[in-house]
Amino acid sequence: GAVVSQHPSWVICKSGTSVKIECRSLDFQATTMFWYRQFPKQSLMLMATSNEGSKATYEQGVEKDKFLINHASLTLSTLTVTSAHPEDSSFYICSADPGLAFSFDRTDTQYFGPGTRLTVL
Amino acid sequence: QKEVEQNSGPLSVPEGAIASLNCTYSDRGSQSFFWYRQYSGKSPELIMSIYSNGDKEDGRFTAQLNKASQYVSLLIRDSQPSDSATYLCAVPASGGYNKLIFGAGTRLAVHP
């Protein structure tokens, strides 16, 4: 249980284009999903918390107009990197909290998707 | 002071030895603690959670929690080269924001 998928797993795009990344919880509903970014040899950096049916909460320093997050259903959140530039090249990872869906978990456990590697040329 | 601190390593242990990974946290009110494993180029994978003081064992892994001293550790018995990865400690953020605060991670290298 607690499987999270991401699509695409990798993407290469030209500078100035937009890229959409999907995050899906496959066997549970997630009212809360999280988006992280990780540069090579660095630690995870939380970008935003995505709540179903409401606006995302962005961490300090993350541009909400550049990183658009939509959490339209209890199993899907999307991150759109708008007008991507080479400095946006990174490993983007989502996670989801199943809440009390699994009896052995509490409401603060996160399960990660496999990540999306974005390269902006 | 960082909220969650880990020694970045690398921690190098021989195959078959016990690897001991440590994590300290600053919020005395923390109730949940998590260990994630992250292989190079991959996303984190949850390996252990612990909520009560003491030890929790799962296969070759043992999590140890000491709330009074504000530290949580992960022991890996009979370490294997396949255990070589970065281990992340995580604690829920204070203030009820339903998010985790991750340590920077400890890189473990198990050599044959």
Side-chain angles (χ1 to χ4, degrees):
Chain A
V3 180
V4 179
S5 70
Q6 270 184 255
H7 179 80
S9 55
W10 58 270
V11 57
I12 301 173
C13 69
K14 293 181 179 179
S15 185
T17 61
S18 295
V19 174
K20 179 186 283 189
I21 302 169
E22 292 186 348
C23 176
R24 293 182 185 273
S25 54
L26 298 184
D27 53 359
F28 64 95
Q29 294 182 333
T31 54
T32 305
M33 290 183 171
F34 304 85
W35 287 96
Y36 295 82
R37 181 167 57 180
Q38 188 174 39
F39 293 105
K41 299 191 184 301
Q42 294 188 22
S43 58
L44 286 172
M45 188 196 83
L46 178 65
M47 299 175 67
T49 302
S50 169
N51 294 294
E52 185 267 339
S54 64
K55 291 182 179 180
T57 302
Y58 290 83
E59 295 298 302
Q60 193 172 8
V62 178
E63 300 175 58
K64 61 181 181 181
D65 294 331
K66 180 170 183 64
F67 299 100
L68 302 179
I69 292 172
N70 184 282
H71 195 154
S73 77
L74 287 172
T75 59
L76 173 64
S77 176
T78 60
L79 168 68
T80 301
V81 183
T82 62
S83 187
H85 292 282
E87 57 266 30
D88 298 322
S89 298
S90 188
F91 190 40
Y92 291 85
I93 315 171
C94 73
S95 70
D97 182 345
L100 297 174
F102 298 98
S103 60
F104 52 84
D105 280 330
R106 292 152 63 122
T107 58
D108 46 20
T109 307
Q110 291 183 28
Y111 293 90
F112 285 85
T116 297
R117 196 161 300 281
L118 170 64
T119 301
V120 185
L121 302 176
Chain B
Q1 181 187 6
K2 291 182 181 178
E3 295 184 66
V4 181
E5 294 207 50
Q6 295 180 256
N7 188 319
S8 63
L11 173 66
S12 183
V13 300
E15 184 175 357
I18 296 175
S20 177
L21 305 161
N22 298 312
C23 170
T24 59
Y25 59 93
S26 60
D27 183 4
R28 282 194 167 275
S30 297
Q31 298 294 318
S32 308
F33 307 87
F34 305 92
W35 283 101
Y36 288 84
R37 176 177 62 198
Q38 186 175 25
Y39 291 113
S40 180
K42 303 294 185 182
S43 66
E45 171 192 12
L46 178 67
I47 54 173
M48 290 284 284
S49 59
I50 186 167
Y51 309 109
S52 304
N53 273 330
D55 295 0
K56 178 182 177 183
E57 189 174 315
D58 184 359
R60 295 185 297 112
F61 298 100
T62 298
Q64 299 177 319
L65 175 59
N66 184 322
K67 291 184 178 180
S69 300
Q70 295 176 247
Y71 83 78
V72 56
S73 61
L74 179 70
L75 301 179
I76 306 175
R77 290 183 300 281
D78 188 24
S79 296
Q80 301 296 310
S82 59
D83 295 324
S84 299
T86 297
Y87 290 80
L88 304 168
C89 172
V91 176
S94 57
Y97 294 106
N98 196 33
K99 63 184 182 182
L100 293 176
I101 304 299
F102 285 86
T106 297
R107 190 158 59 91
L108 172 66
V110 181
H111 55 86

